[in-house]
Amino acid sequence: MKKSLLIPASLALVLVAAGCGSSNKSESTSAAVSTDAAASTGKVTKIVVGTGTGFPQVCFLDENGKLTGFDVELVREVDKRLPEYEFDLQTMEFSNLLLSLETKKIDFVAHEMEKNPEREEKYLFNSEPYAHWRNKIIVAKDNNAVNSLDDLVGKKVLTSATSAEAQILENYNKDHDKKIDIVYSSGTTNDTVAQITSGRVDATIGADFTHKLIDPQNKLKTVGDGLSEADILFVFRKDDPDSKKLSDAIDGALKEIKADGTLGKLSEQWLGEDFTSDTAK
């Protein structure tokens, strides 16, 4: 089976727990043809997968300009096990991923997407999680004044638009008279550590594995209890028979990848620990 995967020409680094970016580029500009038609003709169905390039160890460009990371290599592994499909990775700004899914520019999203009620109203998630994370507040190492969302009232908190972490902050502001000052990432630089340590912002929210990835010099720390935890899944179009068929096929491949130990090895390789289930930590 031939495989065709995109290596983007330029990188616009971003950091947030679930944010990344690059210009839209792909060897394919249209979404998949009908999977039923492909099955009847025996042809391989091309699937356009949306991801990013600025999420360290998850979807990023290495020193040789190769698109790689946990989500990227997992998609490639799933692709190997589904001969009826051919996956084409397309990179774009994180904030454009779900819109591109809705407008059928891509067929599913692979970007550590957390399943939450707000997203479930609009999108289909596959059933077999490939990771599980817990969101916590991240502050400068010398900051001892913040331990909860209440402590962030009136303070600047950096996040990425449309992310699960942004939803936590937005939900808090909806329910409280005193608001957190939400600062949405511009999507052009990967300087969260510098923004927090310099005082330009007071905190961010990130998944439990994110801290190590964005802060190798250990200038930040996580504080307080977990704000949320959720399964990480791929995201598809809702009420779309082809999307459901694709989702089911991917679930089958993921079960194999879990059972033979490949998923845990990928997590340890790219994320430093096994974050592939809610009992892994």
Side-chain angles (χ1 to χ4, degrees):
M1 176 180 65
K2 63 180 180 179
K3 304 294 179 186
S4 174
L5 296 176
L6 168 73
I7 302 301
S10 62
L11 168 63
L13 287 175
V14 174
L15 159 81
V16 209
C20 65
S22 149
S23 59
N24 294 353
K25 295 188 179 181
S26 175
E27 295 173 3
S28 172
T29 58
S30 62
V33 299
S34 167
T35 55
D36 290 333
S40 64
T41 61
K43 293 181 180 179
V44 174
T45 302
K46 177 167 283 190
I47 298 297
V48 183
V49 187
T51 190
T53 59
F55 196 162
Q57 300 302 109
V58 171
C59 48
F60 71 107
L61 296 180
D62 67 14
E63 63 274 12
N64 298 314
K66 178 185 177 183
L67 179 64
T68 191
F70 177 61
D71 280 44
V72 172
E73 298 307 330
L74 176 57
V75 166
R76 289 174 174 150
E77 185 64 34
V78 171
D79 191 11
K80 292 177 185 177
R81 302 188 190 218
L82 296 178
E84 68 270 35
Y85 293 109
E86 179 181 338
F87 291 171
D88 176 22
L89 285 159
Q90 175 175 324
T91 61
M92 61 187 63
E93 297 285 349
F94 174 77
S95 58
N96 291 333
L97 284 169
L98 293 177
L99 177 60
S100 295
L101 181 65
E102 293 173 18
T103 56
K104 299 186 179 182
K105 293 179 180 178
I106 60 176
D107 295 296
F108 74 92
V109 177
H111 196 294
E112 290 291 308
M113 298 296 284
E114 177 180 323
K115 184 178 181 179
N116 60 34
E118 291 81 8
R119 286 175 175 165
E120 279 190 282
E121 289 181 2
K122 297 183 67 175
Y123 307 105
L124 170 70
F125 289 81
N126 67 297
S127 299
E128 193 71 22
Y130 65 90
H132 188 90
W133 72 15
R134 297 160 179 83
N135 283 307
K136 301 190 79 173
I137 298 169
I138 300 175
V139 297
K141 205 162 187 181
D142 60 356
N143 185 338
N144 297 315
V146 173
N147 285 288
S148 69
L149 289 176
D150 290 337
D151 296 330
L152 293 174
V153 168
K155 294 181 170 60
K156 294 181 178 180
V157 181
L158 185 67
T159 191
S160 178
T162 77
S163 68
E165 292 75 25
Q167 193 70 60
I168 292 171
L169 296 168
E170 290 162 1
N171 287 346
Y172 181 92
N173 280 354
K174 286 179 184 177
D175 296 336
H176 295 80
D177 294 330
K178 295 182 179 180
K179 311 296 185 183
I180 295 169
D181 184 359
I182 303 173
V183 178
Y184 294 99
S185 168
S186 65
T188 58
T189 57
N190 189 6
D191 66 347
T192 295
V193 176
Q195 289 208 52
I196 293 175
T197 55
S198 68
R200 282 180 284 164
V201 298
D202 298 284
T204 188
I205 295 176
D208 40 16
F209 68 81
T210 304
H211 180 201
K212 293 180 181 179
L213 303 184
I214 70 172
D215 181 30
Q217 295 182 337
N218 201 28
K219 295 181 178 181
L220 307 179
K221 64 181 179 181
T222 58
V223 296
D225 298 328
L227 302 176
S228 69
E229 62 178 282
D231 288 331
I232 304 304
L233 301 136
F234 299 124
V235 189
F236 305 80
R237 281 185 294 278
K238 199 170 186 177
D239 301 322
D240 182 326
D242 289 337
S243 290
K244 183 61 168 67
K245 185 173 182 178
L246 173 61
S247 172
D248 290 344
I250 289 175
D251 278 334
L254 283 172
K255 288 177 181 178
E256 293 179 1
I257 292 168
K258 283 184 177 181
D260 66 18
T262 301
L263 185 61
K265 290 177 182 177
L266 284 171
S267 181
E268 290 173 357
Q269 175 186 353
W270 292 105
L271 307 181
E273 296 180 36
D274 186 352
F275 291 98
T276 61
S277 76
D278 57 1
T279 59
K281 285 195 72 182

